[in-house]
């Protein structure tokens, strides 16, 4: 079934359509969120996104294991359907819409299944390029769709935006049903469904338990957790913050997303490789963390629109952090442990997707950053803070402090590659053994069997 042989391009189309549909809803979702939870907007937004992220973290390993047994196509269909199911409810019943968003977190793990699909259809040496193509497609969908959604909302109303997003989601589901072929060969599937799935495969905390075994990987994981926790919280509330507190209009928010997205792509494709060659892997991570601290502090103290634009440019440069950390992980892991260690990093990021939004929403609530009397949309560039003594964005300052801790932890990550040190160790063993053999000692007949570490 499906059109042609399974390929990376099938996965690319699925990802683009899903996130394009959600990107269209950026402006209407901010309006509905403020209208539905007018008294505790940031708190409720944080709780909704936090529940969704945490459920995704819990379910991702199980769905991944099941897709290994039952095939990718059925789980692509399942994840895309439940991820997009809340879209038409936005205008029908906002309460059901937000309830469905929270519950849909159980199945909102399309990326896990997509990466497994890509792994099925590519050779190992092709995988980095294929994953980069999928990630770039995801970024491209989010760069273009908010601007289109804001234009449709301003000229034709939110109802049309929701309708278009629903149609795009339906097209995505139909594409999976009719055009996407199954990527998992029959011979790869177990004879008995579910027989090969163990609790260890489905345990979301299993990968985190392996962190204690290696001090270097432990330091990297702590750095990832402390740096991505504020980033996940920022993603969940920042556009609402721009609109409600800073006074950005729908067109300004769409333009902000597009500009920062394009600058981030340039930073990750152009500056990242230059920095890696000139200052090294570890220093690139530290530089990215430094940009992130500056960006969050600027967001926290800024109360004018030009400050947000300037901080957005810094945020684009801070996007080099995670690719640099992934490269550092790769250098400090054995060749047969690459998948395990990258899986640990992904699991930590998934955990942050649940904890970050809840943390930010709770801090906004503690500092009473709620402007309930504001209309749903405002002209761009107007200062809306009524009390200048109030810090506009307390969660961003807390996030800057957390990233500072990540910076301090990253200072202790060794720059050298564990793989290279292993090669040096094996070479020294080989030279020692050869010297022993050259001496012709009769007692050392089988030197390779005398030391189990060899």
């Amino acid at each position: 079934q499906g059109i042609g042989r399974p390929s990376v391009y099938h996965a690319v189309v699925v990802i683009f359509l899903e996130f394009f549909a959600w990107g269209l809803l950026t402006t209407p979702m901010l309006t509905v969120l403020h209208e539905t939870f007018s008294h505790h907007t940031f708190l409720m937004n944080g709780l909704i996104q936090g529940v969704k992220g945490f459920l995704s973290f819990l379910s991702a390993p199980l769905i991944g294991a099941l897709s290994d047994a039952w095939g990718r196509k059925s789980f692509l269909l399942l994840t895309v359907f439940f991820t997009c199911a809340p879209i038409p409810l936005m205008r029908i019943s906002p309460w059901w819409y937000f309830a469905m968003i929270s519950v849909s977190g159980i199945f909102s793990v399309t990326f896990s299944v997509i990466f497994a699909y890509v792994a099925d259809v590519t050779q190992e040496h092709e995988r980095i390029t294929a994953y980069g193509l999928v990630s770039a497609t995801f970024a491209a969908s989010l760069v273009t769709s908010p601007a289109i959604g804001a234009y449709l909302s301003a000229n034709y109303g939110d109802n049309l935006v929701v309708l278009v997003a629903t149609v795009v989601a339906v097209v995505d589901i139909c594409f999976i049903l009719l055009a996407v072929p199954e990527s998992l060969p029959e011979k790869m599937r177990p004879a008995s469904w579910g027989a090969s799935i163990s609790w260890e495969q489905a345990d979301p905390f299993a990968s985190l338990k392996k962190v204690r075994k290696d001090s270097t990987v432990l330091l990297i994981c702590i750095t990832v957790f402390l740096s991505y926790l504020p980033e996940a919280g920022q993603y969940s509330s920042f556009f609402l913050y721009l609109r409600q507190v800073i006074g950005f209009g729908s067109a300004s928010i769409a333009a902000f997303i597009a500009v920062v997205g394009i600058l981030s792509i340039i930073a990750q494709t152009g500056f990242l490789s230059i920095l890696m060659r000139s200052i090294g892997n570890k220093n690139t991570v530290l530089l990215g963390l430094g940009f992130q601290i500056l960006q969050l502090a600027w967001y926290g103290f800024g109360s004018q629109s030009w400050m947000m634009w300037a901080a957005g440019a810094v945020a684009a440069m801070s996007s080099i952090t995670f690719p640099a950390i992934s490269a550092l992980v790769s250098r400090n892991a054995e060749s047969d442990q690459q998948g395990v260690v990258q899986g640990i990093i992904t699991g930590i990021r998934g955990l942050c997707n649940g904890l970050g939004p809840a943390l930010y929403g709770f801090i906004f609530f503690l500092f009473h950053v709620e402007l309930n009397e504001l209309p749903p949309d405002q002209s761009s560039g107007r200062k809306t803070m009524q009390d200048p003594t109030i810090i506009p964005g307390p969660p961003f300052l807390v996030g800057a402090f957390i990233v500072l801790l990540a910076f301090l932890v990253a200072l202790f990550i060794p720059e050298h590659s564990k793989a290279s040190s292993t090669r040096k160790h094996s070479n020294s063993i080989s030279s020692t053994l050869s010297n022993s053999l050259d001496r012709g000692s009769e007692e050392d007949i089988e030197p390779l069997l005398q030391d189990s570490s060899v």
Side-chain angles (χ1 to χ4, degrees):
Q1 295 181 350
I3 299 175
R5 298 176 61 83
S7 68
V8 177
Y9 300 104
H10 289 99
V12 162
V13 173
V14 172
I15 282 294
F16 181 84
L17 291 176
E18 177 181 332
F19 288 96
F20 188 86
W22 275 106
L24 288 171
L25 297 176
T26 302
T27 298
M29 186 160 62
L30 298 180
T31 302
V32 172
L33 187 66
H34 179 67
E35 291 175 350
T36 308
F37 307 108
S38 58
H39 294 293
H40 302 300
T41 311
F42 289 102
L43 176 64
M44 294 306 299
N45 177 61
L47 291 178
I48 291 166
Q49 298 297 331
V51 170
K52 179 182 178 181
F54 194 70
L55 289 177
S56 299
F57 165 73
L58 294 178
S59 64
L62 176 60
I63 290 180
L66 290 174
S67 73
D68 288 338
W70 297 355
R72 316 295 184 200
K73 179 171 180 173
S74 57
F75 281 92
L76 274 180
L77 186 64
L78 188 71
T79 55
V80 171
F81 175 81
F82 279 99
T83 301
C84 297
I87 290 177
L89 294 175
M90 177 180 283
R91 304 308 298 176
I92 298 173
S93 173
W95 283 97
W96 277 105
Y97 166 73
F98 289 115
M100 277 294 293
I101 284 182
S102 300
V103 177
S104 70
I106 300 174
F107 298 100
S108 296
V109 290
T110 309
F111 261 109
S112 299
V113 186
I114 282 291
F115 281 152
Y117 189 98
V118 170
D120 293 340
V121 301
T122 56
Q123 300 296 324
E124 188 171 352
H125 66 277
E126 302 171 330
R127 239 158 252 170
I128 294 177
T129 303
Y131 288 158
L133 181 61
V134 172
S135 299
T137 303
F138 163 71
S141 68
L142 292 184
V143 165
T144 56
S145 54
I148 297 173
Y151 173 79
L152 293 176
S153 176
N155 291 277
Y156 304 102
D158 288 349
N159 289 337
L160 179 65
V161 181
V162 175
L163 177 61
V164 172
T166 303
V167 170
V168 172
V170 171
V171 170
D172 196 12
I173 293 170
C174 293
F175 178 80
I176 297 171
L177 276 172
L178 304 176
V180 175
E182 177 57 60
S183 65
L184 190 68
E186 286 285 346
K187 62 182 179 181
M188 297 286 290
R189 305 181 200 179
S192 175
W193 284 11
S196 62
I197 299 173
S198 64
W199 167 246
E200 184 178 357
Q201 289 175 291
D203 182 8
F205 299 96
S207 61
L208 303 182
K209 296 174 185 175
K210 302 173 184 176
V211 172
R212 300 190 301 267
K213 299 180 181 178
D214 191 310
S215 59
T216 301
V217 175
L218 176 62
L219 290 172
I220 294 174
C221 289
I222 294 173
T223 302
V224 170
F225 179 80
L226 293 176
S227 63
Y228 194 70
L229 183 68
E231 190 173 337
Q234 175 185 325
Y235 285 154
S236 70
S237 60
F238 186 63
F239 302 129
L240 178 65
Y241 176 79
L242 286 179
R243 181 158 180 172
Q244 296 300 118
V245 178
I246 305 300
F248 270 45
S250 300
S252 299
I253 291 176
F256 186 91
I257 295 171
V259 170
V260 174
I262 293 170
L263 291 177
S264 298
I265 293 172
I266 294 172
Q268 293 181 50
T269 55
F271 290 115
L272 180 61
S273 58
I274 297 173
L275 290 171
M276 294 278 278
R277 288 194 302 267
S278 58
I279 65 175
N281 200 161
K282 177 182 173 180
N283 290 332
T284 303
V285 172
L286 294 174
L287 182 64
L289 292 173
F291 277 121
Q292 189 178 0
I293 294 170
L294 177 60
Q295 159 221 335
L296 288 168
W298 211 334
Y299 283 153
F301 286 114
S303 58
Q304 299 284 346
S305 61
W306 69 267
M307 298 179 181
M308 298 297 108
W309 284 100
V314 177
M317 282 303 299
S318 71
S319 66
I320 64 174
T321 304
F322 186 70
I325 286 179
S326 298
L328 193 62
V329 168
S330 180
R331 290 186 60 196
N332 283 277
E334 307 293 351
S335 58
D336 60 345
Q337 295 292 312
Q338 294 289 332
V340 174
V341 179
Q342 296 289 355
I344 292 172
I345 300 300
T346 303
I348 291 173
R349 283 168 63 93
L351 186 61
C352 290
N353 282 331
L355 298 177
L359 174 66
Y360 267 49
F362 183 66
I363 296 174
F364 272 124
F365 174 72
L366 285 180
F367 284 85
H368 306 289
V369 182
E370 298 289 349
L371 301 179
N372 302 324
E373 69 276 5
L374 288 179
D377 199 359
Q378 295 191 14
S379 59
S380 176
R382 214 173 101 198
K383 184 176 179 181
T384 59
M385 293 302 299
Q386 295 182 350
D387 187 352
T389 62
I390 298 177
I391 298 174
F396 303 113
L397 296 180
V398 174
F401 177 75
I402 295 174
V403 178
L404 178 60
L405 296 179
F407 184 91
L408 297 176
V409 172
L411 289 173
F412 295 95
I413 299 175
E415 175 71 41
H416 68 275
S417 169
K418 183 173 290 186
S420 64
S421 65
T422 303
R423 285 195 294 272
K424 292 177 183 177
H425 180 62
S426 63
N427 290 338
S428 65
I429 292 176
S430 301
S431 61
T432 304
L433 291 175
S434 63
N435 292 336
S436 300
L437 289 171
D438 290 340
R439 288 195 299 268
S441 174
E442 293 183 358
E443 291 81 9
D444 296 336
I445 298 173
E446 295 184 76
L448 291 176
L449 301 180
Q450 294 178 3
D451 188 357
S452 61
S453 67
V454 178

